[in-house]
Amino acid sequence: MKERKSLLIIIGVMAVPIVAMAIFIVYTLGNKDDAGSKAVETTTQATTEAATEEEVAEDDTEETTEKASSTNSDEKKLACSVKVEDAGNWQDGDKYVYQYNIRIDNKSKEDVSDWKVVIAGFKGGEIGDNWNGDYKISGDNLTITAVDYNGTIPKGGNIEMGLQVKYKSSNDAEKAATLYVGGEEYTELKEEPTTQSAEEKAESKKEKIEPESGTPLENHGKLSIDGTDVVDKDGKQYQLKGVSTHGLAWFPEYVNKEAFQTLRDEWGANVIRLAMYTSESGGYCQDGDKSKLKGLVEDGVEYATELGMYVIIDWHILHDTNPKDNQDEAVVFFDEMSAKYADYDNVLYEICNEPNGSTTWSDIKEYAETVIPVIRANDKDAIIIVGTPTWSQDVDQAADDPITGQDNIAYTTHFYAATHKDNIRSKVKTAHDKGLCVFISEFSICDASGNGAIDYDSAEDWFDMIDEYNLSYAGWSLCNKNETSALIDSGCSKTSGWSDDDLSDAGKWLKNQISTDD
C-alpha cells in the first residue's frame, strides 16, 4: 500500500512541471502566426492528455484548435484559376494560324509567385507573335513562364497573355491547361459553401407585400411554365414584357418606385430585370459593396411588388465568362434571395446572364444543377432562367441536352438586332420546336457592341418571332449612358416621368413596342 502511495506522489510531482510548461507555451505562443498556432494546437492537446480533469485546460485547447483550423483553412483555400480562350484562326499561305488568349486570376488573399502554366494540345505547332509570357512547345505541351515584370500575381489581380501558333494543317485539339505554383500542380481546395441557417432564413424573410389592385401581379398571380409558354395562375398564356436595368453598381439611381411606375403606366411594362454584375469593377464578386448591391436588389423587388409588377433577379456574369468561376458565391446569394422571397409570387431568378468564351453548355448545365436545388429548397416553383453558351445565343445546344427533373425552367436567348439575325433566330426556332421555353431576358435593336447603328428591319423580324412564339422579353437598358442601347437620352438627368423627348431612339422604339403589344 505504501509503495502505491509513493508511486502516485511521484506521478503527481512529475505532472506539475508538464502542466506548467504547457500553460506557459500556450500563453506565449497563442497569438503567433499559423506555424505558432499549429504548435499551440499540438501542445495543448498534450496538456489535455496530461491533465484530463482540468476543465480550463480543455476549454483552452478547444478554442485554440478551432482558431488554428480556421486559419489553416483560409491559408489553404487559394482561388487561382487559369483559362484558355480560342481567339480565332485564319490561313496564312500554307500555314494555319491560331490565336489563344490566356488569363490567370488570383482571387486568394495573398500574392502568388513562381507560377507556370502548361497547356496540352500543341503538337506540331510553331510559336509566332506572343505577349506577356515566355512560351515554349515541347511535344504536345505549351509551357508558359513569367517574364521579368509579371513574376508575381498580386492578390485580387490577374495576368492576361496571348500568342499565335502556326500549324501545317488545321488543329482543333482540345486545350487543357494546368497551373503550377511553386513547382507543384495547383489544386484549389474548395470548401462547401456556407448557406443560411434555418434561423437566419426566418429572420431575413421579407414580409409579403400586397400588390396594388388591378395590376398585372394582382390579376395574373404566380407564373409558371407550361411547355414552351409562360402561363399565369389560370394556366393562360402570358407574356412578360419590360426593361432591364444597366449594372446596379453604376446606375443605382434608376432603381426607384417612380421610374418603375412610369414604365408600368406609360409604357405598359409588367417586368423589371435587376442586372447585378458579378466580376467587373464594382461587381458583386470583384470589389463591389455587397451590402449596397443586395440593398438595391431588395429595393427593386419591393418597388416592383408594390406596383404589382414581376421582377427578375439577374446574376449578371459577363467578364467572368463561366458561371462556375463564382459558383460558391452564387449558391450563397441565391440561397439568401430565395429564402427572403419564398412567399412572393412575382420574383424570377436568372442564374447566369451571358456565359461566353470557351464555356460549354456542359459547364453551364453543371452549374445550374448545383444552384437550382438551392433555390428549390426555399422556393419550390419560382421560374428560373438559365443562360446559354456564346453570350446566351446557343439555346439550341440546351435543347439537345435540357435540364431534367426540374419544373419551371426557361432558357435565355439574347440578341442585338443589327448583329444577330436569321442565324440566331433559327436557333430559337430549333429550341422552341424541341419544347424549350425561350426567354429573351436581354436585347437591343442596335449591334452587339451596344453602341452601333439601329437596324429596325431586323428588330421587326425578331418581334414577329417573339409574338408568334409568345416569348417574354426585357429590353436593355434603363440608363442614360452615352450609347445607342441606353433607353434614356444621354442629355436627360431625370430618373422617372420621362416624356418621349427624354428617350433615345432605342427607348422610343421599345416604348412603342411594349405599349402596342397585345
Side-chain angles (χ1 to χ4, degrees):
M1 188 72 174
K2 289 182 180 179
E3 290 80 357
R4 184 177 178 184
K5 287 183 179 179
S6 299
L7 180 61
L8 290 173
I9 291 170
I10 293 169
I11 292 172
V13 170
M14 293 176 66
V16 169
I18 294 173
V19 173
M21 177 66 73
I23 293 172
F24 173 76
I25 293 172
V26 169
Y27 178 78
T28 56
L29 298 182
N31 294 322
K32 294 289 186 179
D33 58 16
D34 295 340
S37 297
K38 292 175 183 176
V40 173
E41 179 182 346
T42 304
T43 305
T44 51
Q45 287 173 347
T47 302
T48 305
E49 293 173 1
T52 56
E53 295 179 5
E54 296 292 335
E55 292 182 1
V56 172
E58 287 181 354
D59 291 342
D60 287 346
T61 301
E62 290 172 1
E63 180 179 359
T64 308
T65 301
E66 288 173 3
K67 288 180 179 178
S69 298
S70 174
T71 302
N72 294 340
S73 175
D74 287 343
E75 182 181 68
K76 290 178 181 177
K77 190 181 177 183
L78 296 173
C80 297
S81 61
V82 58
K83 295 181 187 176
V84 182
E85 179 184 7
D86 186 341
N89 60 85
W90 59 93
Q91 192 164 355
D92 182 11
D94 60 347
K95 296 288 183 70
Y96 293 82
V97 182
Y98 288 75
Q99 182 165 312
Y100 302 95
N101 296 331
I102 301 99
R103 175 181 170 125
I104 305 175
D105 283 289
N106 176 19
K107 295 182 181 177
S108 70
K109 297 179 180 179
E110 56 188 44
D111 296 349
V112 169
S113 301
D114 192 17
W115 59 266
K116 176 177 73 173
V117 174
V118 177
I119 310 173
F122 286 87
K123 187 174 183 179
E126 174 188 344
I127 295 172
D129 292 341
N130 59 84
W131 51 96
N132 293 344
D134 185 10
Y135 302 85
K136 293 181 181 178
I137 293 177
S138 177
D140 191 49
N141 291 334
L142 169 70
T143 300
I144 312 170
T145 51
V147 289
D148 56 359
Y149 54 83
N150 64 5
T152 297
I153 310 173
K155 60 182 179 180
N158 61 72
I159 293 176
E160 294 185 349
M161 304 167 286
L163 80 162
Q164 294 174 2
V165 182
K166 298 179 181 179
Y167 298 93
K168 293 181 180 179
S169 60
S170 60
N171 182 296
D172 294 323
E174 184 176 349
K175 304 298 184 286
T178 304
L179 175 66
Y180 292 82
V181 176
E184 296 183 359
E185 181 177 345
Y186 170 76
T187 303
E188 186 173 1
L189 301 178
K190 291 188 177 179
E191 298 174 350
E192 289 297 318
T194 303
T195 55
Q196 287 184 309
S197 66
E199 293 78 10
E200 289 172 329
K201 288 178 181 178
E203 185 177 344
S204 68
K205 192 172 183 179
K206 284 282 187 180
E207 185 176 345
K208 189 174 179 182
I209 301 166
E210 292 301 323
E212 295 178 6
S213 178
T215 58
L217 175 57
E218 203 267 344
N219 291 337
H220 294 277
K222 194 172 185 73
L223 306 178
S224 59
I225 291 172
D226 182 8
T228 60
D229 290 314
V230 173
V231 298
D232 69 6
K233 63 182 180 180
D234 298 319
K236 296 179 180 178
Q237 278 190 349
Y238 190 68
Q239 185 182 44
L240 289 169
K241 50 183 183 176
V243 168
S244 174
T245 70
H246 204 297
L248 298 180
W250 309 314
F251 295 95
E253 64 270 26
Y254 292 94
V255 180
N256 69 80
K257 186 175 179 179
E258 293 75 19
F260 293 3
Q261 186 163 0
T262 301
L263 295 169
R264 184 195 70 177
D265 294 348
E266 298 184 22
W267 293 41
N270 57 21
V271 66
I272 296 291
R273 178 183 186 240
L274 303 171
M276 190 184 73
Y277 279 76
T278 53
S279 189
E280 285 67 19
S281 178
Y284 189 84
C285 302
Q286 189 70 15
D287 53 6
D289 184 332
K290 291 185 178 180
S291 178
K292 182 178 179 180
L293 290 168
K294 282 197 289 189
L296 286 165
V297 170
E298 291 170 4
D299 288 346
V301 172
E302 181 176 344
Y303 301 144
T305 307
E306 289 174 355
L307 293 165
M309 303 175 72
Y310 296 90
V311 59
I312 301 169
I313 297 176
D314 166 36
W315 185 256
H316 200 89
I317 75 156
L318 186 64
H319 190 66
D320 27 358
T321 73
N322 191 321
K324 292 169 70 175
D325 288 356
N326 290 308
Q327 178 172 295
D328 286 357
E329 293 264 30
V331 164
V332 176
F333 176 79
F334 281 112
D335 180 53
E336 181 178 347
M337 291 296 111
S338 59
K340 194 181 297 289
Y341 300 115
D343 294 335
Y344 280 52
D345 292 338
N346 63 323
V347 178
L348 295 77
Y349 302 97
E350 185 170 359
I351 62 174
C352 52
N353 165 61
E354 287 187 353
N356 61 82
S358 58
T359 303
T360 64
W361 170 244
S362 178
D363 293 329
I364 300 164
K365 185 179 180 183
E366 183 178 335
Y367 162 84
E369 289 175 337
T370 300
V371 175
I372 290 172
V374 173
I375 297 173
R376 286 288 179 251
N378 300 314
D379 190 332
K380 299 190 185 312
D381 49 15
I383 291 177
I384 297 173
I385 306 167
V386 183
T388 56
T390 319
W391 294 275
S392 284
Q393 294 165 31
D394 294 339
V395 71
D396 55 325
Q397 294 183 18
D400 289 336
D401 183 25
I403 294 164
T404 58
Q406 297 287 349
D407 295 325
N408 295 328
I409 306 297
Y411 301 81
T412 54
T413 292
H414 291 176
F415 72 85
Y416 283 76
T419 301
H420 307 126
K421 302 187 179 183
D422 285 340
N423 59 325
I424 306 301
R425 286 192 287 270
S426 68
K427 294 174 182 285
V428 174
K429 185 179 187 306
T430 296
H432 184 272
D433 291 348
K434 290 185 177 181
L436 255 61
C437 179
V438 178
F439 200 118
I440 312 291
S441 61
E442 179 183 318
F443 77 94
S444 187
I445 58 175
C446 60
D447 68 18
S449 72
N451 196 30
I454 290 174
D455 189 331
Y456 291 107
D457 290 339
S458 178
E460 292 296 338
D461 289 340
W462 268 106
F463 267 80
D464 287 344
M465 170 176 278
I466 285 170
D467 292 337
E468 178 185 356
Y469 289 167
N470 186 45
L471 306 183
S472 293
Y473 62 86
W476 183 264
S477 68
L478 183 60
C479 71
N480 66 346
K481 186 178 180 180
N482 187 22
E483 65 178 13
T484 310
S485 58
L487 301 175
I488 313 302
D489 186 84
S490 60
C492 175
S493 60
K494 293 160 64 175
T495 57
S496 64
W498 307 284
S499 68
D500 285 358
D501 290 340
D502 297 324
L503 304 179
S504 67
D505 289 342
K508 293 172 186 174
W509 187 93
L510 183 58
K511 177 185 177 182
N512 180 69
Q513 186 64 49
I514 294 174
S515 63
T516 57
D517 251 352
D518 295 328

